[in-house]
Amino acid sequence: PYVYNFPMSQAIKEGQLMEYCYYPKLAYLNETEMQEYAEITEQLLRLFDNKTKQFKDNQKAKKLLMIRKRILHKSEDKIRVFKEIITEIGTDKLKYCFVYVPEGKKMFDSDEAILYSKSDNDYEAENYEETIIKKMLDITKEIFPNTTCNTYTGKNSKVERKTILQGFEKGQIDVLFAMKCLDEGVDVPR
């Protein structure tokens, strides 16, 4: 029961939202990630009550669902897909490009160690120096050395965020990597 319904198609048609094309790319879980995903799913299944169609322990289920979601969000294969996408786009079309990055410190080349602490069913990455956002920014600079990049996160002050957006709008920053910011939209007319 909606009080008001304003679908995206109507917003695009009326010029409230920019028209865009959507090209999904698939990233796959590696063997370790798939095993972890399956283990969490098994735990969720044990918590599910088929009669009531609800979880027996909502708090534990919520925690497990978040862990499982993080496994998907931080899939190592996303790096391969990211490289593929920016290579396809090419340096000319990277201007005024937003890259939305999941938060966290997992997502490295397969030869780098991934350590987990499995106490109390809590899987957390340990001993990482690079964040996902830094890894993606570095990859972009490696593939396109003349491309200007910056990050836009909650760690930036209000003044810094304003300066970064102004630099992006003026074309001084080609690619803007955002994490937990700008995902509800941003008005950059260019």
Side-chain angles (χ1 to χ4, degrees), residues 11 17 19 24 28 31 42 68 81 85 91-93 104 108 116 124 127 138-139 142 148 166-167 174-175 180 186:
L17 287 176
E19 193 169 335
Y28 300 95
E31 195 173 317
E42 284 176 26
R68 196 171 72 163
V81 173
I85 290 169
T91 189
D92 298 340
K93 293 183 183 172
F108 294 89
Y116 285 95
E124 298 217 7
N127 300 326
D138 290 347
I139 286 168
E142 181 183 308
T148 56
Q166 286 173 341
D174 298 323
V175 183
K180 292 183 78 175
V186 62

Side-chain angles (χ1 to χ4, degrees), residues 36 40 63 66-67 70-71 74 104-106 113-128:
E36 292 166 2
I40 300 296
K63 186 176 180 181
M66 288 303 292
I67 292 167
R70 271 187 251 139
I71 292 168
K74 299 175 186 183
K105 295 182 177 185
K106 184 182 177 239
I114 297 174
L115 303 173
Y116 285 95
S117 163
K118 295 186 180 183
S119 61
D120 299 329
N121 297 322
D122 197 10
Y123 290 59
E124 298 217 7
E126 297 176 351
N127 300 326
Y128 292 111

Side-chain angles (χ1 to χ4, degrees), residues 85-114:
I85 290 169
I86 64 168
T87 302
E88 280 178 23
I89 290 172
T91 189
D92 298 340
K93 293 183 183 172
L94 274 181
K95 194 97 171 143
Y96 301 111
C97 183
F98 279 118
V99 178
Y100 295 99
V101 182
E103 64 180 318
K105 295 182 177 185
K106 184 182 177 239
M107 190 186 288
F108 294 89
D109 297 328
S110 56
D111 60 343
E112 296 182 56
I114 297 174

Side-chain angles (χ1 to χ4, degrees), residues 157-168 172-173:
S157 71
K158 233 179 180 176
V159 172
E160 287 174 320
R161 282 187 260 166
K162 184 177 180 180
T163 304
I164 291 167
L165 272 182
Q166 286 173 341
F168 182 71
Q172 298 162 340
I173 299 169

Side-chain angles (χ1 to χ4, degrees), residues 7-9 11-13 17-23:
M8 287 181 70
S9 57
I12 291 169
K13 186 178 175 183
L17 287 176
M18 184 178 88
E19 193 169 335
Y20 62 93
C21 297
Y22 185 70
Y23 303 101

Side-chain angles (χ1 to χ4, degrees), residues 1-6:
Y2 295 101
V3 174
Y4 183 73
N5 186 3
F6 192 70

